[in-house]
């Protein structure tokens, strides 16, 4: 087994790392400052916009999107080490047009959209001219079970009429967010619970859309990206905006959430690496009780454990990415479920070690650890809570050992 990345990936890694040294790390404080001084926190951040042309020039644009003429021609496995680097600085992915939820949405339109959808939405998304939002979760029902979704998408002549409530629609507050992928039910009475849902592309300027409020995360607004509660009232959308056809929403969700989830895991590994780096630097320089923190056995044990957890997760994530590339997202769903749980929990633990090592400083915004902590903790819920992934994983594991159904059982 060869653990080395191919030459083209090594070259991209080197270019990306150099870009971080030259443009991202030196601007972390600038980004913080611009956000602090922003009159309207939902507007694009000037430093991010200024860096985008430089990233394009450096050939670091749309690095995701496997098996597509539109991406950089990288597989999931090849993209992993690049997304990991982007995870080191929370806002950096957008500089390379590789941020959530746009990457997952672009992949959805690429895989399931018509040529008109691609022309109207995918093209400007790939150019970074517009942004997008994925609206599945609802406040009124337990949305970790997508069969509960209540939003109605009702056919009326050449249109669909949409009514419902959504929340946690990330990115909806960005004024550039021009298209929403909305999941709702076209056939709520269908006996097949997995064929009741559909997904439809909704232009932001459709009458009937209300942004009710932004949802803070642990009291922070997560601006300029943000998360919104939305209300859809008698929104009329052309019937041609439906993705793949009625009743295919669940199937698309399975396809869309795989790449979205693994991208989160890749970024979480990068974030954890950064947290460990900060832990080590702090431990070497801080001297409680007359000697560096790094000389305390408990600190060394935590550092060693963090290294073990990160490396375990990276290997598991690379393996899941390889499975996606070789057997497809659907067959690889067990591997994706495993890394979604592992990476989110690993990130929580490693960031917690970093916070503890920084004492009071760890919970300020000065070291970026509070932001990491927020992201890591939400990751145990975002794109499906831990329990749901564990449940699915266990079911797939158990299914291998279940006795085959008898003829009598099958006839029941
Ligand atoms: C920061 C953030 C960003 C998000 N972005 C988006 C987005 O862009 N688009 C979008 O549509 N959604 C988004 N979400 C929503 C997220 O995907 C949902 O919150 C998640 O799927 C869980 O759904 P729920 O909140 O309805 O929880 P519920 O379904 O009500 O579940 C509540 C809890 O029940 C437990 N539980 C559920 N099922 C089981 C089980 N089988 N066994 C044991 N326990 C179980 C879990 O602990 C779970 O956390 C985001 C959420 C956050 C926090």
């Amino acid at each position: 087994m060869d653990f080395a990345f191919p030459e083209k990936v090594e070259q991209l890694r080197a270019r990306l790392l150099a870009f971080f040294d030259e443009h991202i790390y030196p601007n972390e404080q600038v980004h913080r400052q611009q956000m602090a001084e922003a009159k309207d926190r939902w507007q694009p951040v000037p430093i991010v916009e200024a860096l985008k042309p430089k990233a394009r020039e450096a050939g670091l644009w749309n690095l995701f999107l496997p098996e597509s003429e539109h991406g950089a021609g990288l597989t999931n496995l090849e993209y992993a080490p690049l997304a990991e680097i982007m995870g080191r600085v929370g806002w950096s992915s957008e500089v390379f047009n590789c941020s959530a939820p746009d990457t997952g949405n672009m992949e959805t339109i690429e895989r399931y959209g018509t040529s008109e959808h691609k022309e109207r939405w995918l093209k400007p998304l790939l150019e970074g001219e517009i942004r997008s939002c994925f609206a599945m979760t609802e406040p009124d029902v337990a949305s970790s079970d997508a069969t509960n979704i209540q939003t109605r998408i009702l056919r009326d002549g050449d249109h669909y009429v949409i009514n419902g409530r959504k929340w946690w629609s990330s990115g909806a507050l960005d004024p550039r967010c021009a298209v929403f992928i909305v999941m709702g039910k076209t056939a709520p009475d269908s006996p097949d619970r997995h064929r009741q849902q559909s997904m439809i592309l909704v232009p932001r300027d459709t009458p009937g859309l209300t942004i009710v409020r932004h949802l803070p995360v642990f009291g922070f607004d997560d601006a300029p990206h943000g998360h919104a509660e939305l209300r859809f009232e008698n929104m009329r959308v052309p019937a041609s905006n439906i993705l793949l056809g009625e009743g295919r929403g669940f199937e698309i969700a399975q396809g869309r959430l795989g790449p979205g989830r693994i991208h989160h895991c890749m970024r979480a590994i990068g974030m954890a690496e950064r947290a460990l780096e900060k832990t080590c630097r702090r431990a070497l320089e801080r001297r409680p009780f007359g000697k560096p923190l790094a000389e305390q056995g408990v600190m060394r044990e935590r550092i060693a454990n963090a290294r073990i957890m990160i490396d375990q997760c990276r290997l598991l994530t690379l393996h899941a990415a390889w499975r996606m590339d070789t057997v497809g997202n659907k067959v690889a769903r067990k591997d994706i479920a495993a890394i979604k749980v592992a990476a989110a929990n690993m990130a929580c633990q490693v960031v917690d070690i970093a916070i503890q090592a920084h004492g009071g400083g760890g919970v300020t915004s000065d070291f970026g650890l509070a932001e990491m902590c927020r992201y890591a903790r939400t990751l145990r819920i975002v794109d499906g809570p831990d329990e749901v992934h564990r449940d699915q994983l266990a079911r797939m594991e158990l299914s291998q050992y279940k006795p085959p159904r008898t003829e009598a059982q099958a006839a029941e």
Side-chain angles (χ1 to χ4, degrees):
M1 192 178 297
D2 186 358
F3 285 96
F5 290 113
E7 184 53 31
K8 72 169 174 183
V9 178
E10 282 303 347
Q11 279 180 16
L12 279 167
R13 274 192 80 236
R15 227 184 298 158
L16 193 57
L17 287 168
F19 195 94
F20 265 65
D21 286 339
E22 193 178 347
H23 299 296
I24 302 289
Y25 298 132
N27 281 311
E28 281 188 282
Q29 182 52 30
V30 175
H31 186 276
R32 219 169 282 140
Q33 190 75 22
Q34 290 184 345
M35 282 307 300
E37 289 167 1
K39 289 198 177 67
D40 177 351
R41 290 179 58 79
W42 306 109
Q43 291 300 320
V45 188
I47 186 64
V48 175
E49 296 311 300
L51 292 180
K52 283 180 185 176
K54 293 186 198 301
R56 284 191 90 144
E57 214 174 287
L60 299 168
W61 190 256
N62 291 336
L63 299 171
F64 67 105
L65 213 53
E67 290 170 43
S68 164
E69 58 184 295
H70 300 299
L74 301 177
T75 61
N76 286 298
L77 181 60
E78 290 168 343
Y79 177 55
L82 307 172
E84 178 183 325
I85 295 170
M86 294 178 211
R88 294 175 67 86
V89 176
W91 51 266
S92 72
S93 302
E94 190 191 335
V95 170
F96 311 101
N97 212 35
C98 289
S99 56
D102 290 330
T103 51
N105 291 340
M106 285 187 254
E107 202 156 335
T108 302
I109 301 174
E110 163 74 353
R111 306 272 177 259
Y112 308 108
T114 62
S115 45
E116 287 94 85
H117 299 154
K118 290 181 193 175
E119 184 63 27
R120 180 158 180 206
W121 305 117
L122 182 60
K123 228 167 142 185
L125 276 166
L126 287 163
E127 288 299 312
E129 291 164 359
I130 62 167
R131 300 205 64 194
S132 60
C133 159
F134 183 69
M136 180 166 134
T137 306
E138 300 184 359
D140 298 327
V141 290
S143 305
S144 48
D145 174 359
T147 63
N148 284 338
I149 297 302
Q150 287 184 334
T151 292
R152 287 300 312 271
I153 304 178
L154 207 70
R155 182 77 188 238
D156 181 25
D158 292 342
H159 286 77
Y160 282 100
V161 181
I162 309 175
N163 280 287
R165 284 176 74 200
K166 295 284 178 188
W167 74 346
W168 291 109
S169 301
S170 301
L173 294 143
D174 188 320
R176 296 164 298 175
C177 176
V179 62
F180 295 62
I181 299 180
V182 176
M183 184 162 176
K185 283 193 176 167
T186 37
D189 301 323
S190 166
D192 184 345
R193 287 164 64 241
H194 299 111
R195 299 281 296 178
Q196 296 175 346
Q197 307 79 3
S198 301
M199 281 197 199
I200 191 158
L201 292 161
V202 177
R204 186 203 188 90
D205 52 11
T206 310
L209 170 70
T210 308
I211 296 190
V212 180
R213 59 172 174 149
H214 86 80
L215 297 162
V217 177
F218 293 122
F220 291 85
D221 60 11
D222 257 8
H225 177 65
H227 319 277
E229 179 176 334
L230 309 172
R231 197 167 51 232
F232 307 141
E233 286 168 299
N234 295 320
M235 270 168 60
R236 293 183 72 81
V237 177
S240 57
N241 283 21
I242 201 103
L243 280 171
L244 213 56
E246 282 192 22
R248 312 284 297 273
F250 202 84
E251 180 187 334
I252 300 173
Q254 302 271 314
R256 183 211 180 272
L257 292 172
R261 281 174 186 146
I262 198 165
H263 295 169
H264 273 309
C265 297
M266 295 164 180
R267 287 188 289 262
I269 292 164
M271 185 185 76
E273 277 290 356
R274 190 100 195 272
L276 177 57
E277 179 187 322
K278 285 174 190 272
T279 304
C280 292
R281 291 191 192 285
R282 189 70 167 180
L284 288 166
E285 127 210 329
R286 206 72 168 172
R287 299 175 64 89
F289 300 99
K291 60 179 179 182
L293 202 47
E295 287 179 22
Q296 300 285 357
V298 65
M299 197 65 241
R300 297 167 89 99
E301 184 173 323
R302 286 178 193 163
I303 288 170
N305 284 343
R307 166 54 55 220
I308 293 165
M309 285 189 280
I310 294 172
D311 287 352
Q312 281 175 336
C313 249
R314 181 183 292 108
L315 287 172
L316 207 57
T317 302
L318 292 174
H319 181 257
W322 173 77
R323 292 267 298 158
M324 289 167 79
D325 292 332
T326 50
V327 296
N329 298 355
K330 202 170 167 194
V331 181
R333 63 192 192 284
K334 186 165 132 186
D335 308 83
I336 298 168
I339 53 158
K340 177 61 183 37
V341 176
N345 283 276
M346 174 280 291
C348 284
Q349 290 177 65
V350 173
V351 172
D352 191 69
I353 289 171
I355 290 175
Q356 196 68 14
H358 284 72
V363 294
T364 66
S365 300
D366 294 4
F367 295 92
L369 295 170
E371 192 187 333
M372 289 186 191
C373 180
R374 266 187 349 258
Y375 174 64
R377 185 60 187 86
T378 56
L379 209 49
R380 292 190 50 211
I381 299 169
V382 175
D383 281 355
D386 287 355
E387 294 86 344
V388 174
H389 293 297
R390 281 201 171 98
D391 182 58
Q392 285 174 354
L393 214 158
R395 256 195 268 175
M396 287 183 263
E397 199 66 30
L398 288 164
S399 70
Q400 302 173 74
Y401 308 104
K402 273 192 180 161
R405 277 153 60 96
T406 61
E407 275 180 31
Q409 281 171 330
E412 273 173 20

